[in-house]
Amino acid sequence: MSEKQPQNESNLSEKTVVLRRARLNAATSSLMRFSFKECCFKPVADEPDIEIEGSLVHKDSEEGQILCAEKEVGRKSKTLFSCITTATQTTINPPREVACQTESQPLLVNYSATANQWEIYDFYQEELQKRTSSTKKDEKENEIAEGAEGVHGNLSLLRDFTDKSDHDLAMLSTAAKLLEYAVNENINGDIIADFKHFEDEADEFRGDKGTLLPLWEFQYNKVKSLPVSALCWNKKYNDLFAVGLGSHKFTELECGMLLFYTWRNNNHPEFLFNTDSGVMCVDIHEQKSHLVAVGLFNGNVCVYNLMAKGDQPIYNSMASSGKHSGTVWQVKWWEDDLYGNHTFFSVSADGRVVSWTLGKYELFSTNIIKLPPMDKVPDDLNNVIVTAGLTLDFHKQKPYHFLVGTEAGKIHKGSTHYTRFIKTYEAHFRMVSCVRWNPFNPKVFITCGMDWRVNIWDETTDSPVFTFDLKSSVMDVAWAPYSSTVFAAVTADGKVHVFDLSINRFEALCQQRVVSTKRHLTCIEFNPVHPIIIVGNDRGLVISLKLSPNLRKNPKEEKGKEPSTGAEVEIAKMEKLLILMR
Amino acid sequence: MAEVEDTLKRIQAQHGVIGTIVVNGEGIPIRTTLDNSTSVQYAGLLHQLTMKARSAVRDIDPQNELTFLRIRSKKHEIMVAPDKEYLLIAIQNPSE
């Protein structure tokens, strides 16, 4: 409150200080507060109405004096109010909760698979096939060949086949075959062990003689009455051989069979073909071992393809104009002709040697040569009474040379280049049943005949170098593929005779009866690789025999020299013998 | 088809063969000469074993495949010929 002073001139120049004080009218100096502790009203001191925390310290307080003192010194002091660090200055944010919520996961499915090396490989193969087939756009690429690669792991095949509802058991043929082999292996376990390992040790004590150990027997139950007329080993698959069944006697059955056996299954043939006439001869092509030429009793020749399904031959000479009018006694494959067509020769009872070429749809025949008539036949009957040719063989090194044996006991040497025979040998008194060139020596051949004789010839001489009398009609003879001096012959009294000329020039090393006395043996063949032979008898039975070590010996070498093998050695061996005999 | 049937009949007729089973891709015997329970047991067990054997052979060389499996035990021999998806099983008594 200010006193009102009269406003005159002297007052106007005076400066007066006016103090204004803020004071709540409501708040009086007589404030009373109830104290719960003492349970009475107590006067409240004149407190400030507003309290704000500050950082000022009163100069006269204790702290203030310390601060002043320190300020003069110049030191930083760390009191509560003047300490400035990051810790004191950092504002601490109040904690906040931040949460993240995702959408609910999709339904979990359990998946398991294996990733083997073959699964990866199969997948890649499939991809590769898909890509090549799409680029080539060839329908044939997609054809699934039976037994093709990836048989077991081919996933697409598996998927396709499991979808089929019908049980197509035809696909099981390979598996069934394998199973049959395994079952037979178990049954014939001892035979197989003998075949592989048995070497007759008694041979050491027998001097030069050897024996034949019988191994498997092959007989097809349904043909007990047909004689075995031909045997032929397959050169490519050494366990497979062909058996031709047929009779050349008019009184017996007019049918024939061609069977293929492997020693892995001696119970049942691998391939079976029925022919309407007796099979007289069989030959398997050397390179294309699925082609089989067969000569029949009724004069036909057929060619079978083992890879083709079905019972029928792929070629048959029935419709051909040049077909034989007599029994075909021997067929032999020859080289391919200029155009690459396969060719084979046949010799038959009508006295002709004919070559057949496998054309696209049929056989083409070419007359090679006609056998000269027998001496006793008068000239005007030459064309009517013919000399039957019974056997034929091609030279191993010079394939255009061949030998033909006739029923007159003569051997004719001919060539495909000439139309007449080069040479004739008076071989036997009766029919010649077999003629074969030596596999090593180019000059030597062997013949056997119904006159009980086996003759070995040098082609340059007119009389045989060696002659053996075997006391019974010799039905077949064969050279051994491993030696130029070993051969074996079968006779009608059921014996097998094995000779080795380098060891014994006069008698057989082994003369063993293989079948019972009443049965004849008709054919013999050496296996090209293993030391076994097969012989056939006249009741459809084929027996395989193992040659004992004595029959397979190489001649003793001089001490210090290594034993040598090979074609040259074999040729030399034979040469030595020939020189001896001259 | 008939060829396979003939072969199976011949196998069954062989000396010492106790039984033959043809198993399909799921391990179920579809043709058998043994009784049902034995067939099912053989089929299931040998199916798994063949798968394992096949996997092992192909793992070592993916271009190789399992062609035959033989298990010789004291009493007899079990032979399994696997095919694309079938299994041919034969049980034989070899020593007889």
Side-chain angles (χ1 to χ4, degrees):
Chain A
M1 276 207 268
S2 61
E3 283 178 355
K4 231 184 180 178
Q5 296 203 335
Q7 286 189 345
N8 42 10
E9 281 178 26
S10 59
N11 278 357
L12 280 169
S13 58
E14 254 183 49
K15 291 188 182 168
T16 49
V17 177
V18 179
L19 271 170
R20 304 275 180 202
R21 235 208 222 153
R23 207 165 57 161
L24 265 176
N25 279 336
T28 57
S29 52
S30 59
L31 263 175
M32 301 291 276
R33 195 177 271 155
F34 185 76
S35 163
F36 283 92
K37 195 166 145 193
E38 283 140 42
C39 297
C40 64
F41 279 98
K42 275 206 163 164
V44 176
D46 203 352
E47 288 178 1
D49 294 319
I50 303 168
E51 240 179 79
I52 302 170
E53 272 198 38
S55 58
L56 298 170
V57 177
H58 199 276
K59 168 163 85 168
D60 293 331
S61 71
E62 233 180 76
E63 243 184 290
Q65 286 192 338
I66 297 169
L67 277 172
C68 285
E70 282 186 353
K71 201 177 176 183
E72 284 173 10
V73 180
R75 237 187 0 201
K76 242 189 180 171
S77 64
K78 284 195 182 160
T79 57
L80 190 63
F81 296 108
S82 68
C83 173
I84 300 171
T85 59
T86 48
T88 54
Q89 283 208 322
T90 318
T91 52
I92 301 167
N93 288 326
R96 260 182 281 177
E97 204 175 302
V98 176
C100 208
Q101 211 175 29
T102 56
E103 282 182 10
S104 62
Q105 279 178 330
L107 219 65
L108 285 176
V109 176
N110 269 340
Y111 173 77
S112 67
T114 48
N116 285 327
Q117 197 161 348
W118 52 270
E119 287 186 22
I120 298 167
Y121 173 82
D122 283 345
F123 183 77
Y124 272 108
Q125 291 295 95
E126 263 185 57
E127 275 296 310
L128 208 72
Q129 267 193 349
K130 272 186 210 163
R131 282 190 198 167
T132 51
S133 65
S134 66
T135 52
K136 274 188 184 178
K137 286 190 185 160
D138 196 351
E139 285 283 308
K140 281 188 185 171
E141 292 281 297
N142 293 329
E143 242 182 297
I144 300 164
E146 278 197 17
E149 82 287 0
V151 157
H152 298 296
N154 196 333
L155 294 170
S156 62
L157 266 180
L158 276 171
R159 268 183 248 123
D160 282 325
F161 282 117
T162 46
D163 287 344
K164 279 193 192 162
S165 53
D166 55 344
H167 300 299
D168 194 7
L169 286 181
M171 299 178 307
L172 283 174
S173 50
T174 339
K177 229 184 205 34
L178 280 175
L179 200 63
E180 200 175 0
Y181 287 166
V183 167
N184 274 306
E185 196 182 317
N186 277 332
I187 296 170
N188 294 331
D190 46 356
I191 296 179
I192 294 172
D194 276 346
F195 159 62
K196 290 224 153 136
H197 306 295
F198 180 74
E199 302 290 352
D200 199 352
E201 284 147 5
D203 264 12
E204 290 169 36
F205 308 109
R206 258 189 235 130
D208 286 331
K209 305 270 180 200
T211 51
L212 298 166
L213 177 74
L215 295 172
W216 298 276
E217 283 187 14
F218 304 89
Q219 172 119 44
Y220 191 46
N221 295 329
K222 297 178 193 162
V223 284
K224 284 232 170 79
S225 55
L226 282 176
V228 172
S229 52
L231 292 171
C232 186
W233 284 99
N234 187 316
K235 305 281 182 303
K236 205 165 161 200
Y237 299 103
N238 292 317
D239 59 330
L240 191 67
F241 62 91
V243 180
L245 295 162
S247 166
H248 55 83
K249 297 198 179 111
F250 285 107
T251 50
E252 289 186 11
L253 297 167
E254 240 310 310
C255 66
M257 260 187 160
L258 178 64
L259 305 171
F260 282 82
Y261 277 103
T262 159
W263 65 57
R264 286 187 277 174
N265 184 354
N266 65 340
N267 213 9
H268 188 84
E270 296 296 300
F271 300 100
L272 196 150
F273 300 99
N274 282 303
T275 57
D276 47 2
S277 174
V279 171
M280 288 291 120
C281 50
V282 174
D283 196 30
I284 303 179
H285 198 275
E286 277 203 26
Q287 286 87 35
K288 304 266 167 76
S289 57
H290 53 90
L291 289 174
V292 183
V294 172
L296 300 176
F297 181 63
N298 61 6
N300 277 333
V301 287
C302 312
V303 177
Y304 284 89
N305 182 350
L306 294 180
M307 297 211 292
K309 300 206 199 305
D311 205 29
Q312 293 306 311
I314 51 171
Y315 293 97
N316 199 329
S317 73
M318 261 198 295
S320 196
S321 55
K323 69 172 236 186
H324 288 289
S325 44
T327 316
V328 177
W329 286 106
Q330 185 100 53
V331 283
K332 273 269 187 247
W333 283 103
W334 202 49
E335 304 173 328
D336 291 353
D337 70 357
L338 296 164
Y339 306 106
N341 297 321
H342 305 297
T343 327
F344 65 94
F345 276 53
S346 66
V347 68
S348 99
D350 65 356
R352 283 167 35 224
V353 176
V354 176
S355 94
W356 301 86
T357 312
L358 268 58
K360 209 164 174 195
Y361 301 112
E362 55 170 14
L363 290 170
F364 297 106
S365 69
T366 321
N367 255 337
I368 297 292
I369 205 160
K370 191 165 151 63
L371 292 170
M374 292 186 279
D375 298 330
K376 297 176 210 125
V377 174
D379 285 337
D380 46 348
L381 287 174
N382 264 350
N383 292 332
V384 179
I385 301 178
V386 290
T387 329
L390 292 170
T391 170
L392 171 78
D393 196 26
F394 285 106
H395 198 277
K396 300 287 180 292
Q397 282 87 26
K398 294 179 274 185
Y400 41 86
H401 263 111
F402 60 87
L403 290 169
V404 181
T406 65
E407 65 172 343
K410 295 196 184 154
I411 308 283
H412 300 282
K413 183 168 76 171
S415 166
T416 52
H417 300 319
Y418 310 122
T419 49
R420 303 188 74 175
F421 284 113
I422 301 172
K423 204 170 160 79
T424 303
Y425 306 88
E426 298 281 341
H428 294 273
F429 305 113
R430 299 183 69 191
M431 286 192 337
V432 177
S433 48
C434 189
V435 64
R436 304 251 184 141
W437 284 102
N438 188 304
F440 295 101
N441 195 306
K443 291 189 299 180
V444 177
F445 62 90
I446 192 171
T447 67
C448 66
M450 297 298 188
D451 61 347
W452 302 2
R453 296 256 159 82
V454 173
N455 293 334
I456 298 180
W457 305 78
D458 179 340
E459 67 170 0
T460 50
T461 59
D462 274 335
S463 61
V465 180
F466 292 98
T467 306
F468 301 99
D469 186 342
L470 296 181
K471 313 282 190 298
S472 170
S473 305
V474 186
M475 306 298 288
D476 201 4
V477 73
W479 287 105
Y482 52 83
S483 165
S484 64
T485 50
V486 176
F487 66 90
V490 282
T491 55
D493 59 356
K495 282 194 183 160
V496 177
H497 306 256
V498 182
F499 289 79
D500 187 346
L501 296 169
S502 58
I503 295 176
N504 191 328
R505 291 200 318 261
F506 302 105
E507 53 174 20
L509 293 186
C510 170
Q511 286 182 339
Q512 187 168 326
R513 178 180 302 286
V514 172
V515 285
S516 64
T517 355
K518 284 186 270 185
R519 301 270 77 89
H520 302 197
L521 284 178
T522 48
C523 302
I524 182 169
E525 281 289 337
F526 276 84
N527 184 306
V529 173
H530 304 281
I532 61 176
I533 52 173
I534 40 170
V535 287
N537 82 345
D538 61 345
R539 275 291 176 263
L541 175 70
V542 177
I543 304 175
S544 61
L545 303 148
K546 185 170 182 182
L547 299 162
S548 70
N550 265 351
L551 303 171
R552 298 185 260 143
K553 264 203 285 199
N554 286 322
K556 289 197 188 111
E557 293 291 332
E558 293 172 11
K559 282 185 188 168
K561 262 198 196 169
E562 282 178 22
S564 46
T565 49
E568 298 84 33
V569 175
E570 303 293 334
I571 296 173
K573 248 199 308 183
M574 203 61 199
E575 279 301 314
K576 263 195 289 184
L577 286 167
L578 292 172
I579 293 166
L580 258 174
M581 295 305 283
R582 280 199 202 119
Chain B
M1 178 73 182
E3 204 185 289
V4 177
E5 300 267 357
D6 276 341
T7 314
L8 288 173
K9 265 189 229 155
R10 277 202 309 270
I11 293 171
Q12 182 59 38
Q14 289 275 28
H15 199 55
V17 173
I18 298 169
T20 55
I21 309 169
V22 182
V23 182
N24 75 350
E26 285 133 35
I28 301 168
I30 52 177
R31 179 160 308 177
T32 170
T33 57
L34 301 167
D35 57 280
N36 200 19
S37 56
T38 323
S39 302
V40 168
Q41 193 180 26
Y42 267 107
L45 293 167
L46 289 169
H47 186 74
Q48 291 174 35
L49 187 64
T50 316
M51 289 293 149
K52 195 76 187 173
R54 187 183 284 169
S55 179
V57 168
R58 296 207 76 211
D59 238 356
I60 294 166
D61 177 9
Q63 292 181 326
N64 205 354
E65 353 175 312
L66 181 69
T67 47
F68 207 79
L69 186 65
R70 285 170 107 152
I71 305 158
R72 190 162 247 161
S73 70
K74 212 158 76 169
K75 294 189 187 168
H76 38 242
E77 178 164 346
I78 303 170
M79 290 166 276
V80 181
D83 193 65
K84 287 188 195 91
E85 85 278 10
Y86 287 101
L87 273 184
L88 277 176
I89 304 169
I91 306 136
Q92 189 187 19
N93 207 334
S95 54
E96 255 186 63

